[in-house]
C-alpha cells in the first residue's frame, strides 16, 4: 500500500518552500491553494503574508514565482491581480500521479496520521415498535460514517442504542404473562420480520386497550415495572422475548437496507442498568449534580425555560427512577472507560440537540470528556413529503419504513427492466439490480443532502436516470464497465497510461478531479460529512460524461496510445466511483 501525494499537496509544498525562502522570518506560511477556473490552482495566501511582513504583495508574488522551478510538476505560474498566483500543472504530472493511484488498492488514499477509536451510535429502533421513516436517516448516515472513518484507518466501534427499557414494558410483560401464547410461532421454520412485527403490533394494541380500560390490569402492569427494574427472573425472561422478537424484525429491515448489523453491537438502554446508581453517585459526590426538589439535577447558565428559570438536566427523578440522561451518561462512561473511545459520534435527530448538549457538558464537568476525548452529535433534519411537510401517509400516519423500501425497489426494478433486454440481463439479474438501484436511490437521496438539512422524499426523483441521483452514478459505472469489456473483446487496446501525451481539456478536468479523491475522503471524515462524498461522485460522473462526449475512447478510432490512455482514465474513474459508492453503502452493478 502506497499513499500518493496529490498534485495539490505537491504544488502547495513548492509554493510554501518558495515563500519560506522569500520571507525567512515569517515562519510556516500557508499558500492557501485551491482549485480555480482561471488555471488548475490558485494560491491566495500571499496577500495576508505580505501585509504581515509590510511588503508589496505583487512584488512578493513575483519574487516567489521566480524561485519556483517549472517543467516537471508545474507547467506555468503567473501573478494575477493584487498578488494571486495562477498555477497550471503539466499533463505528464497528472498522468504520472494517476498511474501511482491506479497501482494501489486504496487508490493512493493515505491512512490518517493519528487514527483513534471512534464509537458511533446510530440506527436506534425501539423494541416492540415499528421502524418508520425517521429511523432511516440515523441508519443510513451512521453506516456511511462508519465506512468512511474505517477507510481512513480509524478503529470504529458500532453501537445501536435500541429503546429496550422503560415503563411501557410493564404493560407488555403483564399481558404476555396472562396470554402466554401471543408470541408463539406457528412453525419451527425461520420467522419473517413481517410476522414478528405483526405479533408485536397485535400484542401492543391489545395490552394498551386493556391498560386503558381495566384498572386492575393497570395496577398489575405498574407492579410489573418494579419487578423488571429489580431484575426479577421471570419478568426478565418475558422482557427478553420482546427483545428477541423485535430483533427478528429489526434485522429483516436492516437486511433490506443492505446493512450489516451485528448482534454484539446492539447494546440497548438496558445495557447500562448496572451503571446508573454509580453514575448518579459520581455526579453527586463531585458536585456536578445537585438535589433539587428530591431530583438529581445538573444546571446550566445558558439553558432556561420560557419562564426564565433554569431548565436542568434531570439525571434521577424524585421517585428514584432514572431518565434518559442517566443512561446516556453511563454509556459515555462505558464507551470512554471500557471501549477506549477518543471520539463519540451520535447520529441523532436534530430535535434532541439540547438534550445532547446538556449531556456532553455534564460529562465534561465530570471529567469523562476532555480535550483528548470529544463527543459530537451528527444531528439530522426531518424527512419531508413532496408537499414540504413532515412525511406522513394519506391517513396522517407515520410511514412504515418497510413499505417505503419495498416501493423504492419496485420502482427501480421497473426502470431496470426497461433497459434489460438491450443488454441481455436475466430475470435474476433484473431482480438483484432492482434491489441495488432501489435501495441505493433511497440512501443516496439521504446522503446527498447535508445531514442537518431536511430533505424531500420523492421516489420519482430518486429513481430518475438524470440529475443528482444514485441511478445516474450507477449507470455511469456500468457504462464504463461496458466500454472496458468491448475494448477487451476488440483485443488491441488495454488501459495503459501514457504520460508523454498532451491531454485534451476534458481529460485534464477528469484527471484533476480523480486526483482529489484522497483529500475529499479526509475532509468528509473530519467534518462527519458523507454528503461531500456524494457531491464529489456526482461531479466525477458529470466530468466523465463530458470526457466521453468530447474524447473518443474506442470509436471513432483514436490512435492506439491515445485510446489506451483514455481507457486508463475510464478504468480509474470506474474504480473511484465504485469505491466512493461503497463508502456510502451503495452497490454498483457491472451491467445496468
Amino acid at each position: 500500500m502506497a499513499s500518493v501525494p496529490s498534485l495539490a499537496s505537491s504544488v502547495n509544498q513548492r509554493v510554501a518552500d518558495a515563500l519560506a525562502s522569500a520571507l525567512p522570518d515569517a515562519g510556516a506560511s500557508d499558500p492557501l491553494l485551491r482549485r480555480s477556473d482561471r488555471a488548475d490552482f490558485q494560491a491566495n495566501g500571499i496577500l495576508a503574508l505580505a501585509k504581515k511582513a509590510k511588503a508589496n504583495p505583487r512584488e512578493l508574488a513575483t519574487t516567489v514565482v521566480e524561485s519556483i522551478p517549472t517543467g516537471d510538476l508545474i507547467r506555468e505560474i503567473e501573478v494575477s491581480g493584487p498578488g494571486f498566483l495562477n498555477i497550471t500543472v503539466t499533463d505528464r504530472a497528472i498522468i504520472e500521479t494517476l498511474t501511482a493511484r491506479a497501482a494501489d488498492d486504496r487508490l493512493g488514499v493515505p491512512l490518517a496520521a493519528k487514527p483513534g477509536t471512534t464509537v458511533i451510535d446510530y440506527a436506534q429502533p425501539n423494541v416492540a415498535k415499528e421502524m418508520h421513516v425517521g429511523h432511516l436517516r440515523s441508519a443510513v448516515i451512521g453506516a456511511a460514517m462508519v465506512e468512511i472513518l474505517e477507510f481512513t484507518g480509524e478503529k470504529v466501534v458500532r453501537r445501536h442504542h435500541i429503546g429496550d427499557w422503560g415503563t411501557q414494558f410493564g404493560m407488555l410483560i403483564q399481558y404476555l404473562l396472562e396470554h402466554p401464547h401471543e408470541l408463539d410461532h406457528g412453525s419451527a421454520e425461520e420467522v419473517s420480520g413481517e410476522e414478528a412485527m405483526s405479533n408485536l403490533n397485535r400484542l401492543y394494541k391489545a395490552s394498551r386497550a386493556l391498560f386503558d380500560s381495566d384498572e386492575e390490569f393497570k395496577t398489575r402492569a405498574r407492579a410489573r415495572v418494579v419487578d423488571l427494574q429489580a431484575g426479577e427472573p421471570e419478568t426478565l425472561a418475558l422482557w427478553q422475548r420482546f427483545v428477541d422478537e423485535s430483533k427478528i424484525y429489526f434485522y429483516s429491515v436492516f437486511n433490506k437496507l443492505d446493512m450489516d448489523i451485528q448482534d454484539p453491537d446492539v447494546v440497548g438502554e438496558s445495557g447500562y442498568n448496572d451503571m446508573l446508581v454509580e453514575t448518579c453517585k459520581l455526579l453527586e459526590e463531585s458536585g456536578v449534580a445537585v438535589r433539587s426538589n428530591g431530583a438529581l439535577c445538573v444546571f446550566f447558565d445558558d439553558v432556561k425555560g420560557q419562564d426564565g428559570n433554569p431548565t436542568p438536566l434531570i439525571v434521577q427523578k424524585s421517585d428514584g427512577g432514572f431518565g434518559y440522561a442517566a443512561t446516556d451518561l453511563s454509556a459515555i462512561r462505558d464507551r470512554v472507560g471500557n471501549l477506549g473511545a477518543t471520539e463519540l459520534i451520535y447520529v441523532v435527530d436534530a430535535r434532541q440537540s439540547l438534550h445532547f448538549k446538556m449531556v456532553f457538558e455534564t460529562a465534561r464537568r465530570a471529567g469523562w470528556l476532555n480535550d483528548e476525548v470529544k463527543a459530537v452529535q451528527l444531528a439530522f433534519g426531518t424527512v419531508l413529503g413532496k408537499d414540504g411537510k413532515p412525511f406522513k401517509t394519506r391517513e396522517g400516519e407515520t410511514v412504515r419504513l418497510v413499505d417505503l423500501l419495498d416501493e423504492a425497489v419496485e420502482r427501480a426494478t421497473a426502470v431496470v427492466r426497461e433497459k434489460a433486454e438491450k443488454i441481455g440481463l436475466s430475470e435474476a439479474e433484473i431482480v438483484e439490480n432492482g434491489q441495488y438501484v432501489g435501495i441505493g436511490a433511497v440512501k443516496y437521496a439521504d446522503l446527498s443532502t447535508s445531514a442537518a438539512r431536511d430533505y424531500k422524499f420523492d421516489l420519482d426523483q430518486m429513481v430518475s436516470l438524470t440529475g443528482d441521483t444514485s441511478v445516474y452514478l450507477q449507470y455511469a459505472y456500468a457504462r464504463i464497465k461496458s466500454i472496458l469489456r468491448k475494448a477487451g473483446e476488440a483485443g488491441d487496446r488495454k488501459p495503459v497510461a501514457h504520460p508523454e501525451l498532451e491531454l485534451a481539456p476534458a481529460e485534464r478536468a477528469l484527471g484533476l478531479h480523480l486526483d482529489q479523491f484522497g483529500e475529499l475522503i479526509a475532509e468528509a471524515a473530519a467534518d462527519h460529512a458523507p454528503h461531500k462524498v456524494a457531491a464529489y461522485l456526482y461531479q466525477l460522473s458529470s466530468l466523465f460524461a463530458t470526457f466521453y462526449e468530447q474524447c473518443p475512447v474506442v470509436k471513432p478510432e483514436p490512435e492506439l496510445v491515445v485510446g489506451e490512455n483514455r481507457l486508463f482514465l475510464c478504468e480509474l474513474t470506474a474504480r473511484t466511483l465504485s469505491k466512493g459508492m461503497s463508502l456510502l453503502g451503495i452497490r454498483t452493478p457491472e451491467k445496468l
Side-chain angles (χ1 to χ4, degrees), residues 131-180:
M131 285 174 74
H132 55 78
V133 70
H135 292 116
L136 177 68
R137 298 210 73 185
S138 174
V140 169
I141 295 166
M145 265 331 298
V146 168
E147 294 297 329
I148 292 166
L149 288 168
E150 284 190 333
F151 188 53
T152 67
E154 185 79 359
K155 180 186 173 191
V156 179
V157 182
R158 301 153 170 82
R159 277 292 173 265
H160 309 294
H161 191 87
I162 63 171
D164 66 354
W165 202 249
T167 51
Q168 76 276 17
F169 283 100
M171 170 183 96
L172 292 167
I173 293 166
Q174 189 60 35
Y175 188 86
L176 187 59
L177 189 72
E178 295 173 18
H179 305 79

Side-chain angles (χ1 to χ4, degrees), residues 1-13:
M1 190 207 84
S3 75
V4 178
S6 68
L7 291 162
S9 65
S10 303
V11 169
N12 201 60
Q13 192 58 55

Side-chain angles (χ1 to χ4, degrees), residues 84-364:
F84 300 128
L85 300 184
N86 286 339
I87 302 162
T88 304
V89 294
T90 64
D91 292 352
R92 174 176 286 279
I94 293 176
I95 295 297
E96 282 179 347
T97 301
L98 296 183
T99 307
R101 292 201 178 288
D104 180 51
D105 287 347
R106 292 175 48 84
L107 300 168
V109 176
L111 292 163
K114 290 183 183 165
T117 298
T118 294
V119 177
I120 180 158
D121 185 327
Y122 68 107
Q124 312 105 341
N126 292 313
V127 164
K129 283 193 184 163
E130 193 118 35
M131 285 174 74
H132 55 78
V133 70
H135 292 116
L136 177 68
R137 298 210 73 185
S138 174
V140 169
I141 295 166
M145 265 331 298
V146 168
E147 294 297 329
I148 292 166
L149 288 168
E150 284 190 333
F151 188 53
T152 67
E154 185 79 359
K155 180 186 173 191
V156 179
V157 182
R158 301 153 170 82
R159 277 292 173 265
H160 309 294
H161 191 87
I162 63 171
D164 66 354
W165 202 249
T167 51
Q168 76 276 17
F169 283 100
M171 170 183 96
L172 292 167
I173 293 166
Q174 189 60 35
Y175 188 86
L176 187 59
L177 189 72
E178 295 173 18
H179 305 79
H181 299 296
E182 283 295 304
L183 286 182
D184 291 356
H185 296 296
S187 69
E189 282 164 36
E190 203 169 304
V191 185
S192 72
E194 280 289 314
E195 188 189 329
M197 195 62 237
S198 80
N199 278 342
L200 291 164
N201 266 339
R202 190 183 65 248
L203 202 145
Y204 187 86
K205 282 177 182 151
S207 62
R208 170 51 78 189
L210 199 56
F211 188 85
D212 291 341
S213 63
D214 182 334
E215 281 304 317
E216 288 180 1
F217 176 76
K218 188 183 273 189
T219 305
R220 293 197 297 278
R222 286 186 168 150
R224 190 58 59 185
V225 176
V226 179
D227 293 340
L228 177 65
Q229 288 173 339
E232 191 274 315
E234 185 189 22
T235 305
L236 273 183
L238 290 167
W239 165 80
Q240 189 64 50
R241 287 192 66 189
F242 282 101
V243 174
D244 292 343
E245 192 80 5
S246 298
K247 279 184 176 178
I248 295 171
Y249 163 69
F250 296 158
Y251 293 160
S252 75
V253 179
F254 289 127
N255 202 26
K256 210 169 265 231
L257 264 171
D258 197 11
M259 251 178 220
D260 182 28
I261 303 267
Q262 297 291 333
D263 211 54
D265 301 333
V266 179
V267 183
E269 294 167 6
S270 64
Y272 305 100
N273 284 347
D274 295 348
M275 299 176 73
L276 301 177
V277 170
E278 192 185 8
T279 295
C280 292
K281 188 169 161 239
L282 290 168
L283 291 170
E284 192 168 10
E285 283 177 358
S286 62
V288 172
V290 293
R291 292 278 165 193
S292 174
N293 298 328
L296 186 62
C297 302
V298 183
F299 289 92
F300 308 87
D301 294 340
D302 56 347
V303 184
K304 293 186 169 63
Q306 287 174 325
D307 55 5
N309 291 327
T311 304
L313 181 71
I314 299 172
V315 185
Q316 190 178 21
K317 299 172 203 159
S318 53
D319 65 2
F322 301 102
Y324 289 127
T327 307
D328 286 333
L329 288 161
S330 300
I332 290 176
R333 283 179 55 215
D334 174 59
R335 291 165 185 185
V336 176
N338 298 329
L339 300 176
T342 48
E343 180 169 52
L344 306 174
I345 300 176
Y346 291 78
V347 189
V348 183
D349 190 315
R351 286 171 291 199
Q352 296 191 40
S353 293
L354 179 61
H355 169 78
F356 279 100
K357 181 184 162 190
M358 292 158 82
V359 165
F360 296 161
E361 177 55 31
T362 300
R364 263 193 291 277

Side-chain angles (χ1 to χ4, degrees), residues 408-439 463 465 471 474-475 589 591-592:
V409 169
E410 203 178 300
R411 295 274 194 97
T413 307
V415 171
V416 171
R417 196 176 290 285
E418 272 173 37
K419 296 197 178 241
E421 207 173 310
K422 209 160 113 188
I423 55 168
L425 288 184
S426 68
E427 183 58 28
E429 286 172 319
I430 291 171
V431 170
E432 186 177 77
N433 285 356
Q435 285 176 326
Y436 293 164
V437 171
I439 297 303
V463 297
L465 301 179
V471 196
Q474 287 168 320
Y475 265 109
K591 288 181 177 177
L592 205 53

